[in-house]
Amino acid sequence: QVQLVESGGGLVQPGGSLRLSCAASGIIFSAYVMGWYRQAPGKQRELVAAITSGGSTNYADSVKGRFTISRDNAKNTVYLQMSSLKPEDTAVYYCNARLTKTYWGQGTQVTVSS
């Protein structure tokens, strides 16, 4: 079976940092485009960042310069390093793996608040 297991979410103050991890199993991880999406209450799910098998990255304009996506194929893990966090970053963050099929993690809550 395919599993994407996220960790690292939590409560952080504005300006703080957080690193999300997503450990994948059941797929040939190195072949997949990995991504992070987020969904805030009342909002549509949006792409935050993606990274290809070759290491090319893509970011939403709202997070450019603040977030960094990376992957460790040896660990079957994709990361999202989030810095200079803002209240508007508050959302459930979802890990995504895409090739011929698409898989989703369960989501992890990130709350940016004083």
Side-chain angles (χ1 to χ4, degrees), residues 20-22 29 34 36 51 69-71 76-79 95:
L20 305 183
S21 299
C22 172
F29 179 84
M34 301 300 300
W36 288 96
I51 184 166
I69 189 170
S70 61
R71 66 193 296 162
N76 285 4
T77 301
V78 62
Y79 305 93
C95 182

Side-chain angles (χ1 to χ4, degrees), residues 12-54:
V12 64
Q13 293 185 350
S17 298
L18 213 56
R19 189 177 79 155
L20 305 183
S21 299
C22 172
S25 60
I27 61 171
I28 303 174
F29 179 84
S30 60
Y32 278 72
V33 176
M34 301 300 300
W36 288 96
Y37 290 71
R38 68 186 181 188
Q39 188 166 24
K43 302 290 177 58
Q44 293 186 8
R45 189 172 299 187
E46 64 174 348
L47 176 68
V48 176
I51 184 166
T52 69
S53 60

Side-chain angles (χ1 to χ4, degrees), residues 62-68 81-86 89:
S62 59
V63 307
K64 284 180 180 175
R66 300 188 298 120
F67 290 12
T68 301
Q81 178 66 51
M82 304 184 293
S83 301
S84 301
L85 282 160
K86 305 173 181 179
D89 295 318

